[in-house]
Amino acid sequence: MQDAASGKPGDISNGPGAKSNAVRLNLTEEALLQRALERGEGDLGKGGSLLVRTGRHTGRSPKDKFVVSTPDVDGHIWLEGNELMSLASFDRLHSDILDYSAGQEMFEQHLFGGADESCRIGVRIVCELAWHGLFARHMFRRPSRKELGHVPSQYTVINCPGFLADPDRHGCRSETVIAMNFEKRIVLIAGTAYAGETKKAVFTVLNYILPDLGILPMHCSANHALGDPDDSALFFGLSGTGKTTLSSDPTRSLVGDDEHGWHDGGIFNFEGGCYAKTIDLNAKAEPEIFAATSKFGAILENVVYDQDTRVIDFTDKSLTENTRCAYPLYHVPSASETGFAGPPRHLFMLTCDAFGVLPPIARLSPAQAVYHFLSGFTSRVAGTERGIRTPEPVFSPCFGHPFLPRRPEVYGDLMRKRVSSSGARCWLINTGWTGGGYGLGRRMPIKVTRALLNAALKEDLDRADFTRDMNFGFEVPVDVPGVPQLILSPRRTWDDPAEHDRVARDLVRMFSSNFAQFIGLVGSEVMEAAIG
């Protein structure tokens, strides 16, 4: 799929006052990889992969993200999740970044956000680093040779890690800034080399645009049965819940691992690649992801490797636990070529419950599905973030708090309508702890999770008997072939049932306290589901 044009000088201003730059336009993977190596941006890894480090930023900087306050967006932005920047501050930042980049070699890619031609957006990704250009080619949808040169520049993302913002001059918090101007359709990223900022910036743009078109943007992975796009499934989940792992199944076709839209015609991928976490990656548990790490052009971020052999130690967390690999979807043998599938038959919400209270699988009513979608619950545990010693509950609305420019109930209402119209079966899956909470019980066996997931996908659970959970009101299967019956009932796995009940009551209170923000903003059925 080589579709690049030649490199030509140009400008990156997206308007009057252009500054002259040496812009390398739509370079191929081969050219970008070669240029990255020539510039000393990384090392060559096995199979032609690229090994890079992102410096002090090894993850996103959500506190440094801003939305520019303009008449078109004021009143539409969720202020709890987004800081505002004045237009004057943004204009100063924009001008200063253009001055900084003037005369530098820059790398520009013309790409699409979204597989559906009817609602995709054209994006210009302009990067200071060659490997960021390669990352963009992996992450976004590529135009065909015929389309190249005719991609509409609906949004421009300018990424200059070497530019350090001035909080006093630019109205930001630190030297790092991600500034999104929906009116001018420009995103500015500076002071961080973490490539995921570009990916999530475009996702945030789509989360702003698509609801007005009746399309639900989703932070989820998706797959479908081999040869049957109408047998599709969605997997919602925050980091560490198994979203990528569970959707990567050689018996099913991967639609995408992170971002999708859902409209009347079905689901479609926003992206053209995968950005998989690689910490503790091994060939046996995740063969497709492991194989992709040594294919040509794959980008491995912040992994530790032998300087001579370039053998990677995926267990080494000395740089970060957020080690990543970016690669195009066609590196996955069973991946969908179209990025499309029919409306989901199954919808899974994944949670890592470190309190050991939630069952390994539960069946949700449509209202309960919206409740858990808006709750977006998981747990942080010791070792995943600095300073955490006991489990901490995390509620991230729509499983994507940092990427929501609009209020969560906007997406919740779209979810309610989509689930209702599609008749999708909805499930909650706990990939966290059983037999007690973190430090007392054990992690849910992956064999159990996969067995229950497959039972749901094959609709074997339609014939199972269910019982109502006394804490949350959803339905839990009593017996599933191939799964130990005891593990289906969390209370029975605890040595001290009374202690289980106490912890369960505490977790229910956490859910209720969090959901209080939606009182009066969601329908009565969802509120009744919240009460259980």
Side-chain angles (χ1 to χ4, degrees):
M1 190 187 297
Q2 302 305 318
D3 48 29
S6 61
K8 300 178 181 178
D11 72 84
I12 61 170
S13 69
N14 204 38
K19 309 290 195 298
S20 178
N21 291 82
V23 175
R24 308 305 178 197
L25 181 62
N26 292 322
L27 297 185
T28 62
E29 293 91 328
E30 292 83 358
L32 288 165
L33 178 60
Q34 179 180 346
R35 199 69 193 101
L37 294 171
E38 291 171 346
R39 287 160 52 104
E41 295 177 3
D43 287 337
L44 187 66
K46 286 187 174 297
S49 61
L50 182 64
L51 310 173
V52 299
R53 293 189 177 179
T54 62
R56 64 190 181 98
H57 290 284
T58 58
R60 290 180 298 99
S61 302
K63 293 182 180 180
D64 292 308
K65 190 179 81 171
F66 295 83
V67 173
V68 178
S69 177
T70 61
D72 283 358
V73 306
D74 288 348
H76 298 285
I77 298 299
W78 183 34
L79 295 180
E80 184 178 325
N82 298 277
E83 294 286 336
L84 293 180
M85 173 182 283
S86 71
L87 180 57
S89 294
F90 177 86
D91 287 342
R92 284 192 294 270
L93 177 65
H94 189 196
S95 178
D96 290 349
I97 285 178
L98 294 181
D99 287 340
Y100 166 84
S101 61
Q104 288 195 50
E105 181 181 33
M106 301 290 285
F107 302 88
E108 180 173 334
Q109 291 285 320
H110 293 181
L111 303 160
F112 291 113
D116 190 332
E117 294 184 17
S118 69
C119 56
R120 68 187 182 184
I121 61 170
V123 290
R124 298 169 67 221
I125 309 295
V126 185
C127 309
E128 180 180 7
L129 298 175
W131 79 263
H132 277 188
L134 180 60
F135 177 89
R137 280 185 67 81
H138 291 344
M139 284 299 104
F140 302 110
R141 309 291 300 190
R142 301 179 192 178
S144 66
R145 277 189 174 275
K146 288 184 179 180
E147 292 172 319
L148 203 59
H150 305 283
V151 178
S153 299
Q154 291 167 299
Y155 274 83
T156 297
V157 179
I158 305 174
N159 191 329
C160 290
F163 179 87
L164 302 181
D166 180 342
D168 292 332
R169 176 171 171 77
H170 302 127
C172 52
R173 191 184 69 94
S174 72
E175 294 176 336
T176 300
V177 64
I178 301 96
M180 314 190 73
N181 190 323
F182 292 123
E183 186 177 82
K184 292 188 174 182
R185 298 184 175 185
I186 300 173
V187 179
L188 305 175
I189 302 172
T192 172
Y194 182 66
E197 295 289 10
T198 297
K199 164 186 161 70
K200 291 305 185 187
V202 175
F203 183 42
T204 303
V205 167
L206 289 165
N207 276 328
Y208 181 74
I209 294 172
L210 295 183
D212 285 342
L213 303 178
I215 301 171
L216 172 62
M218 304 173 292
H219 186 216
C220 69
S221 59
N223 65 23
H224 66 72
L226 291 176
D228 186 3
D230 290 330
D231 184 3
S232 68
L234 300 176
F235 302 80
F236 294 86
L238 299 169
S239 180
T241 58
K243 177 163 57 79
T244 299
T245 299
L246 293 175
S247 61
S248 299
D249 183 340
T251 69
R252 293 178 66 83
S253 182
L254 180 68
V255 179
D257 83 327
D258 198 46
E259 302 169 6
H260 294 82
W262 186 357
H263 55 28
D264 291 343
I267 60 174
F268 61 98
N269 195 355
F270 289 165
E271 301 182 303
C274 299
Y275 193 36
K277 290 189 75 169
T278 59
I279 201 69
D280 294 324
L281 181 68
N282 69 78
K284 185 176 181 180
E286 297 174 283
E288 292 186 329
I289 298 173
F290 187 88
T293 63
S294 60
K295 292 188 176 181
F296 181 83
I299 303 169
L300 289 112
E301 291 182 349
N302 302 312
V303 295
V304 177
Y305 55 94
D306 185 286
Q307 290 291 332
D308 294 324
T309 66
R310 305 297 163 93
V311 172
I312 298 168
D313 182 356
F314 288 113
T315 67
D316 194 320
K317 304 176 175 69
S318 58
L319 293 178
T320 178
E321 289 206 6
N322 191 37
T323 56
R324 297 268 180 173
C325 182
Y327 50 91
L329 268 171
Y330 59 77
H331 279 184
V332 179
S334 62
S336 165
E337 293 184 2
T338 66
F340 283 92
R345 293 180 64 175
H346 294 274
L347 191 156
F348 299 95
M349 296 184 186
L350 312 176
T351 178
C352 175
D353 173 23
F355 299 93
V357 168
L358 295 176
I361 193 167
R363 184 166 61 188
L364 306 175
S365 69
Q368 288 170 337
V370 175
Y371 171 68
H372 284 278
F373 177 68
L374 287 172
S375 296
F377 168 73
T378 194
S379 306
R380 294 192 186 101
V381 297
T384 60
E385 292 196 14
R386 198 177 304 168
I388 295 177
R389 294 181 176 83
T390 58
E392 291 185 0
V394 178
F395 293 93
S396 183
C398 311
F399 297 96
H401 180 181
F403 323 121
L404 304 183
R406 298 175 183 267
R407 286 198 56 86
E409 58 269 17
V410 171
Y411 310 98
D413 188 54
L414 285 169
M415 173 63 81
R416 178 186 60 80
K417 293 175 181 176
R418 291 294 167 198
V419 169
S420 175
S421 63
S422 68
R425 295 170 172 85
C426 301
W427 308 91
L428 182 72
I429 288 184
N430 174 23
T431 61
W433 269 255
T434 182
Y438 176 80
L440 179 64
R442 62 176 179 133
R443 195 71 188 258
M444 192 71 68
I446 185 65
K447 285 186 177 181
V448 168
T449 301
R450 283 210 177 273
L452 292 169
L453 176 64
N454 288 332
L457 288 171
K458 294 176 181 177
E459 298 177 4
D460 292 340
L461 291 185
D462 289 357
R463 298 183 292 275
D465 293 326
F466 286 79
T467 185
R468 185 175 183 274
D469 181 85
M470 62 185 295
N471 298 301
F472 288 92
F474 43 53
E475 295 180 315
V476 180
V478 175
D479 188 23
V480 178
V483 176
Q485 190 176 37
L486 181 68
I487 206 169
L488 296 171
S489 174
R491 189 174 190 270
R492 293 175 60 197
T493 65
W494 283 56
D495 292 336
D496 185 349
E499 178 64 8
H500 166 274
D501 294 345
R502 183 193 67 79
V503 175
R505 287 193 296 271
D506 287 345
L507 185 59
V508 169
R509 280 194 289 268
M510 294 175 199
F511 266 83
S512 298
S513 177
N514 170 73
F515 208 77
Q517 64 183 299
F518 300 116
I519 293 176
L521 300 175
V522 296
S524 59
E525 289 185 358
V526 177
M527 287 308 304
E528 289 173 6
I531 297 169

